[in-house]
Amino acid sequence: MKMRSLKALAGAAALGLVASLAGQGPASSQAPGKFIIVQSTTSTENSGLFKQLLPMFTKKTGIEVRVVAVGTGQAIKNAVNGDGDVLFVHDKPSEEKFVAEGGGVKRFDVMYNDFVVVGPANDPAGIAGSKDVVAAFKKIADAKAPFVSRGDDSGTHKSELRLWKDAGVDAKAASGSWYREAGTGMARPSTPPSA
């Protein structure tokens, strides 16, 4: 997400969330004091967006919102199991499939992502300044330069895997060598892991 657009995006997100809840399913028929469950990405939760938006939503509707922050893949699985009233995720192909299969009522565009490839100053793959992410991923694989993936079935991870596929690279086959799957979200842990 581009920081210069944060205020505009926050406004759009508020409209998207309210629009997706208003008049659909149990949320509109619930009496004050009831709650809904939002299955969300960890990145949206970690951004602080919900801390800004949800109090306004609760004040306006009387409906408490409980957020379950996981990767996109897990959020969709949770919703398929009936453990969510609203999805706030970011992998359009998975979202469209979820709706097409009857798991959801309607999909709304709310925000967008910007992905940036970062690496060490010595640039072992020689990708600094590259404008072509697919070519950069190919160079990383050819150089067997260490690459840390979220590896967590999140929307970010799903997008990354599509880029590896476009580059003609089987990242899963390289797992454990130069390609390392962390299995974690993007936020820094509140306490450093013990050694």
Side-chain angles (χ1 to χ4, degrees):
M1 184 183 322
K2 292 181 180 175
M3 293 308 291
R4 63 182 165 75
S5 302
L6 189 57
K7 285 186 179 180
L9 290 173
L15 294 173
L17 183 60
V18 173
S20 66
L21 295 172
Q24 295 182 19
S28 62
S29 61
Q30 288 182 351
K34 298 292 184 177
F35 67 90
I36 59 170
I37 297 173
V38 172
Q39 292 287 339
S40 171
T41 63
T42 54
S43 52
T44 304
E45 171 68 13
N46 292 337
S47 75
L49 183 64
F50 290 138
K51 287 180 184 174
Q52 293 295 313
L53 298 180
L54 298 184
M56 291 184 285
F57 176 81
T58 299
K59 183 177 179 181
K60 183 173 182 174
T61 65
I63 301 169
E64 176 192 349
V65 181
R66 297 179 183 173
V67 177
V68 177
V70 292
T72 291
Q74 187 61 53
I76 291 173
K77 286 176 191 170
N78 292 350
V80 166
N81 292 334
D83 296 329
D85 299 297
V86 175
L87 281 168
F88 212 96
V89 294
H90 61 110
D91 183 55
K92 190 173 182 177
S94 298
E95 297 160 23
E96 290 174 338
K97 181 179 182 218
F98 175 76
V99 173
E101 292 176 349
V105 177
K106 186 160 177 144
R107 182 193 170 278
F108 296 89
D109 283 329
V110 177
M111 296 183 283
Y112 66 93
N113 295 316
D114 280 335
F115 297 98
V116 179
V117 178
V118 297
N122 66 343
D123 192 17
I127 64 168
S130 177
K131 302 284 186 208
D132 183 343
V133 70
V134 173
F137 271 38
K138 177 81 172 110
K139 284 183 173 183
I140 291 168
D142 289 347
K144 294 187 178 10
F147 184 93
V148 179
S149 168
R150 284 181 64 171
D152 63 353
D153 198 33
S154 64
T156 302
H157 184 228
K158 289 173 185 286
S159 293
E160 174 215 317
L161 291 176
R162 281 192 292 275
L163 292 171
W164 286 119
K165 184 177 179 183
D166 291 348
V169 176
D170 184 353
K172 290 288 186 185
S175 182
S177 60
W178 61 268
Y179 184 78
R180 300 171 187 163
E181 296 171 287
T184 62
M186 294 184 292
R188 182 178 175 189
S190 56
T191 56
S194 58

